[in-house]
Amino acid sequence: MDRSQKADAVAQLTDVFNEVGVVVVTRNLGLTVDQSTELRGKMREAGATYKVAKNRLAKLALKDTDYTGLEEFLNGPTALAWSQDPVAAAKAAVEFAKANDKLEIVGGSMGSQVLDEAGIKALASMPSLDELRGTIVGLVNAPATKIAQLATAPANKLARVVGAYAAKDAA
């Protein structure tokens, strides 16, 4: 990598750190190419990105961002996962790490809030932004559904009574 490529990589990472909601730092303990490809696929499905970045370049990119606390985690063979949704990257990384012992969750950060491994696992157990939106829509929609049921119930009962009287008279 020459100097201009390094400058481009730092600029790209700086842009990422200025835009994302969460960054998770993982340690590669011998993932194969297939396992790494599978992890990237799961990250993509969750709406997250997973990238191996040189620690030195990542530390340079962290300067002047909210994620400066991540520098302490950047040693050894590390990789970064990030997403706009504060839960997506953490959830995908933790799920993959449960099934594969060659990926270790080191820590992460939500803006200026630095999280250790336990913090990332706690974050992963929370519902995602889409799940929360679905819950809210369900809660808002439930009263309208109940009102519609209550409005139609008297008419249904009246129709049954009239039908019963009609059947009685016909018999």
Side-chain angles (χ1 to χ4, degrees):
M1 220 181 210
D2 66 359
R3 187 177 289 257
S4 65
Q5 289 174 322
K6 289 178 183 179
D8 289 343
V10 169
Q12 287 175 351
L13 281 174
T14 301
D15 290 343
V16 165
F17 293 141
N18 286 325
E19 296 173 1
V20 297
V22 67
V23 176
V24 178
V25 180
T26 62
R27 183 161 290 125
N28 179 351
L29 302 174
L31 286 174
T32 64
V33 173
D34 289 339
Q35 292 168 332
S36 192
T37 302
E38 179 185 352
L39 174 58
R40 282 187 171 88
K42 289 187 180 200
M43 287 284 181
R44 237 180 278 113
E45 287 173 11
T49 304
Y50 181 79
K51 184 173 183 174
V52 176
K54 291 187 175 221
N55 292 336
R56 191 171 148 277
L57 298 179
K59 287 178 183 179
L60 289 172
L62 286 171
K63 291 180 182 175
D64 302 326
T65 67
D66 290 339
Y67 294 96
T68 55
L70 288 177
E71 290 180 7
E72 66 184 85
F73 299 128
L74 296 174
N75 51 28
T78 59
L80 304 172
W82 61 80
S83 64
Q84 295 290 336
D85 181 356
V87 177
K91 190 172 280 201
V94 168
E95 288 297 318
F96 188 83
K98 282 181 186 175
N100 193 327
D101 60 346
K102 293 183 179 179
L103 182 75
E104 176 186 3
I105 307 296
V106 178
S109 181
M110 282 180 55
S112 60
Q113 179 66 41
V114 177
L115 304 168
D116 61 354
E117 179 186 358
I120 294 295
K121 288 182 178 178
L123 183 64
S125 67
M126 295 176 66
S128 71
L129 196 56
D130 289 338
E131 291 170 348
L132 287 174
R133 286 179 182 149
T135 302
I136 290 171
V137 168
L139 291 173
V140 169
N141 196 20
T145 305
K146 288 182 181 180
I147 289 172
Q149 289 172 346
L150 290 175
T152 60
N156 288 342
K157 288 181 182 178
L158 180 63
R160 282 192 218 116
V161 169
V162 170
Y165 277 120
K168 181 179 170 187
D169 288 340

